[in-house]
Amino acid sequence: MTKDQPDIRYALVVPSSSVRAAERVPAHVRRLLRIDVYEVTHDNQVHQLTS
């Protein structure tokens, strides 16, 4: 995360069982770090979590 270019985004992909842990990082921190969080469900569906 050393690039300071606003068009670069990072992703964290977690199983449904880990969503609560990922959401413990405050939304404003995830926005500042340009991190998007995605959930993978038990039936392999992928959903972006809202920040």
Side-chain angles (χ1 to χ4, degrees):
M1 295 183 183
T2 58
K3 298 289 182 184
D4 201 20
Q5 298 172 346
D7 58 328
I8 294 176
R9 307 270 324 148
Y10 300 93
L12 175 65
V13 182
V14 298
S16 296
S17 60
S18 298
V19 167
R20 289 187 67 193
E23 289 179 329
R24 284 193 298 224
V25 176
H28 73 278
V29 172
R30 293 191 312 261
R31 278 193 300 274
L32 285 171
L33 294 173
R34 300 183 317 265
I35 297 174
D36 297 322
V37 180
Y38 293 85
E39 171 189 11
V40 180
T41 64
H42 68 283
D43 59 349
N44 293 326
Q45 298 292 315
V46 178
H47 305 282
Q48 183 176 4
L49 303 179
T50 58
S51 51

